[in-house]
Amino acid sequence: MTEGIDHRLRGRWAPHGAHQDKLPARSLRWLSTRIGASEVASPGTEGEPGEPSPTTLPTAAQADLTEILGHERLTTDPAARLGRAGGLSYLDLLHQRGFGELAVPDAIALPSDAEQVQRVLECCVRHDIAVVPFGGGTSVVGGVSALRGGKAAVLALDLVGLDQLHSVDPVSRLAVFGAGTRALAAERMLRAHGLTLGHVPQSAERASIGGFAATRSAGQASSGYGRFEDMVAGLRLATPRGPWRLGVAPASAAGPDLRALALGSEGTLGVLTEVTLRVRPLPTVERYEGFVLDGWTRGQEAVRALAQAGCLAEVTRLSDSDETNVSFALRGGMRTAALRGYLRARGVREPNLLVLGWHAGSRAELARRRAVTLGVLRRFRPVRLGTAAGEAWRRGRFGGPRQRDVLLDAGVCVETLETAGFWSGLDRLRDAVRTALRTELTGHGRAPLIMCHISHAYETGASLYFTVLVPRAHGDELGQWQRAKAAACAAIAGWSDPDVGEPLGTITHHHAVGTDHAPYLEAEIGALGVDVLRQLKHTLDPTGILNPGKLLPDA
Amino acid sequence: MTEGIDHRLRGRWAPHGAHQDKLPARSLRWLSTRIGASEVASPGTEGEPGEPSPTTLPTAAQADLTEILGHERLTTDPAARLGRAGGLSYLDLLHQRGFGELAVPDAIALPSDAEQVQRVLECCVRHDIAVVPFGGGTSVVGGVSALRGGKAAVLALDLVGLDQLHSVDPVSRLAVFGAGTRALAAERMLRAHGLTLGHVPQSAERASIGGFAATRSAGQASSGYGRFEDMVAGLRLATPRGPWRLGVAPASAAGPDLRALALGSEGTLGVLTEVTLRVRPLPTVERYEGFVLDGWTRGQEAVRALAQAGCLAEVTRLSDSDETNVSFALRGGMRTAALRGYLRARGVREPNLLVLGWHAGSRAELARRRAVTLGVLRRFRPVRLGTAAGEAWRRGRFGGPRQRDVLLDAGVCVETLETAGFWSGLDRLRDAVRTALRTELTGHGRAPLIMCHISHAYETGASLYFTVLVPRAHGDELGQWQRAKAAACAAIAGWSDPDVGEPLGTITHHHAVGTDHAPYLEAEIGALGVDVLRQLKHTLDPTGILNPGKLLPDA
């Protein structure tokens, strides 16, 4: 392979100066006690997945694809294929460690522009080859699994070559990006214009603009910058029926908003090639600070009050006491004891950490907005922890995926899941998910640690994000989590309580459907909704080559 | 017909205490001079449309519908049928005055609940009868024309019976309304809970919740309360394939947002029966005030600055100098002269009126927000006109439709059209529309008065709303406006300039597609987009009974 094209094997998260790659030994010991294992297991015997099966890409297809892309931009190299085999869910990580079956694409196409993407799709239609659009590969719901959907071969269509900032319109505050542009690269390019997108999910180091749009991502600062779909002014897709452009105005009443079909389509209806995004001036002042509220109810009410008063900080994030206590404990030593004493002295029995992160154009703006927010917050009697607690969160904000690898090495099953619901049903939703997880994961000496936070708040409701830690069930690694996840999803879908005819929340607030949530989609959008999606797919992708097995339960 | 069911003939707008029903004689004289007619014609000889053709509703269908609805809730009364014949566009008003062909429904169904709506649809599928969902009947784009789409008969499905507030969730700030609820009735019902929807389009006195959702309406206070689609948390529809419920959470990543398909579907995919809306606390303080900015460029830049700084007032509305001068002139007499002198003394050559209307929860909140906004506004050197100018706008805010009737009586062709574009292209869009209208409407001693305002501003762009007055072309009343509207639409679609391959803006920002904009939809969403809508309709409405001839150019 020639230089300049990135065929690298994706593996673990690269070390990053600012982030904590390893949990200290004392933290591991503490966690071990906390989740009820006499000791957390030492790293297992698992290693790497084996060599993938030989490619089944037909020779004629390979020749045609090579003619479109050149030799450089098509590869069947085993390492490159393994590198695009799946995403980053706990099950994916287990697959990469040799558990279960790893679905590996037969070849990787790395087109350099939208026209090549279009031609690759048309070629794959002719040869009836499945196509998995591939951005940063950070899906945690099976969204980039190399499923072939009954086709003879499956191609991973890696969009990393579409990584340009095509244009900036500073007057309209719009920027047009190639869909393969990585989030941090996009921010670097915008910074040169004094602009920012402000979309910073935990996957930001790797995830792509196209991936964000295809999955309806929400970033950690969504309370200020909006969900990714709110930022999308226009889109270009390559589809088996030809290129498609959408979005000509800031708002429209010209029929249903078809951009909403591309957003969240997860590569099943077309391949995003270009995204026009609303951008904002780079903030000149940032401030992250922590508060503690006593009890989940009061914490949740405080976030609701901020959301309904329209004075959320860009980052607004409330951890329940389980999550708060873990984050305090992992600080370790004297600092934790002192903090607990400080909070007890102020009457806090169940500390719920609230992190507020402000981005502003000036100190005056920050002061003004912050005063309004603290004014609303006051009646919930917050205990201020100052900027140290806020900065601690900010430093660790991308650390989750790295700590997950470390915990996996130490024999811990660690995974997250998320949902959202309206405020009046949020407690019921949270209780249902926690009960389902606890019931499923308890036993055999194991007691799961279930943490929860709100990271995205709206006037009408909020997201709930759960992090689960439990000792791995040796010999049943995959089944352990599959059953727990299924129980949680059934609870969200409203199936665990016969008196409930409707979902308690959405099956996913910002992780998309992929393969993992597909069985629960019908509960949310109805059989008619599923049929609408199916017919829509048939219209745009008549032979069903696009990302088979994702989004639709039976596609 | 039994009492209690509203079969009334819709005609002119009912008088309303606060509104100006008649233009004073001096205003008519002034307008007459302004639009280049030696005198504005006296009321024409036109009157009422004739008796409609006899109903073609098959007897068997009538019997089945009667069984579902009862005798009270099905009528073929000629007056009731005429009352649901079309909407309120200038062409509709001409039709009602006996010009051209008036499409009249064969019968009116007035279901009392969602289940009856569903059964009526299923009955119409069995008998292959076209169905036109009918809310307030305020469409200005042909959206409720009683077209039969090749069917033997057409039924107007009047949703006025679905007029209840089903539930209020004050914690989540959600309210569930029957789709036929009128906007002002909804506000009255919410007021009892201390809540408001804040959706106040010019049609608010008659238009319905379902109509707002079906057409993606935007109200006069959209800068504060959002577009109607932003308020919709959930929907229930009746479709030929069965009932459909959408929306279980404040936000979701569970595939494409299918609510966006129902919003803007204009009754072609299903009939909205219930809408769950985000509501807000009733404001306790309101303040409307006027400013003058010198020149359109500066005015537009000021609105852009407010939108991009996130400090728009709930109502933010900029009139160009043509619209401003007319509104000043219609005040009449000394007040106008004094005002002109006042502005001249402050260096204003081209007055552009900016109305800002604030809704706040307290005087302190109002003061704080207003200070931020005025701080941004300052660098555009606004001349303050105080609250009198703001209140004058507020008093007249629903007057447009009434004045239109008066002007029509006086022989004036008066109509509006609207679009939206990104900021950097807004001047080009405005120029293109004005040029198209002026070119088409000038001649035979006529010089059109073309006024323009921005009433909906976003970070990335704004709406443009044009009001056109020109002496009616006697003997060519329909053609005169049809040609002008076609020229304006072609300009928006980018057809008038061969160098432009793309639309300059959207064909409609808040009036929907109906029949009038259908020919321009493909320019905006592509042939693929039109096919997607067509297949979507085929999925939900396989026999094509729903609102034929609307939205899709060929449906």
Side-chain angles (χ1 to χ4, degrees), chain A residues 169-174 215-216 227 229 233 236 239 241-261 263-266 269 278-280 304 308-309 368 372 420-425 458-462 501-513 521 523-526 528-529 531-533 535-536 539-540 551, chain B residues 169-174 215-216 227 229 233 236 239 241-261 263-266 269 278-280 304 308-309 368 372 420-425 458-462 501-513 521 523-526 528-529 531-533 535-536 539-540 551:
Chain A
D169 174 352
V171 173
S172 310
R173 294 209 178 147
L174 291 170
T215 58
R216 302 175 70 197
R227 295 170 61 82
E229 63 210 75
R236 283 180 193 269
T239 84
R241 298 270 313 274
W244 194 16
R245 185 217 62 206
L246 288 168
V248 304
S252 171
D257 186 355
L258 298 183
R259 290 176 305 187
L261 292 183
L263 295 163
S265 62
E266 305 187 23
L269 304 179
R278 176 256 286 158
V279 292
R280 290 196 175 152
R304 176 164 69 90
Q308 294 183 340
R368 175 172 49 76
V372 173
F422 297 116
W423 288 115
S424 60
Y458 307 89
E459 289 175 80
T460 57
E502 300 196 346
L504 301 183
T506 176
I507 198 64
T508 172
H509 170 266
H510 61 269
H511 281 171
V513 176
L521 191 59
E524 187 154 337
I525 63 172
L528 205 44
D531 196 43
V532 161
L533 288 179
Q535 297 302 325
L536 197 59
T539 300
L540 290 164
L551 184 57
Chain B
D169 174 352
V171 173
S172 309
R173 292 209 179 150
L174 291 170
T215 58
R216 301 175 71 196
R227 295 169 62 81
E229 63 209 75
R236 284 181 192 266
T239 83
R241 299 269 314 274
W244 194 16
R245 186 218 58 207
L246 289 167
V248 303
S252 170
D257 186 355
L258 298 183
R259 289 175 306 186
L261 293 183
L263 295 165
S265 62
E266 304 186 21
L269 304 178
R278 176 256 285 156
V279 292
R280 290 194 175 153
R304 176 163 70 88
Q308 294 184 340
R368 175 173 49 74
V372 173
F422 297 118
W423 288 115
S424 60
Y458 307 88
E459 288 175 78
T460 58
E502 301 195 345
L504 302 183
T506 175
I507 198 64
T508 173
H509 169 267
H510 61 268
H511 280 170
V513 175
L521 191 60
E524 186 154 337
I525 63 172
L528 205 45
D531 196 43
V532 161
L533 288 180
Q535 296 302 324
L536 196 60
T539 301
L540 290 164
L551 184 57

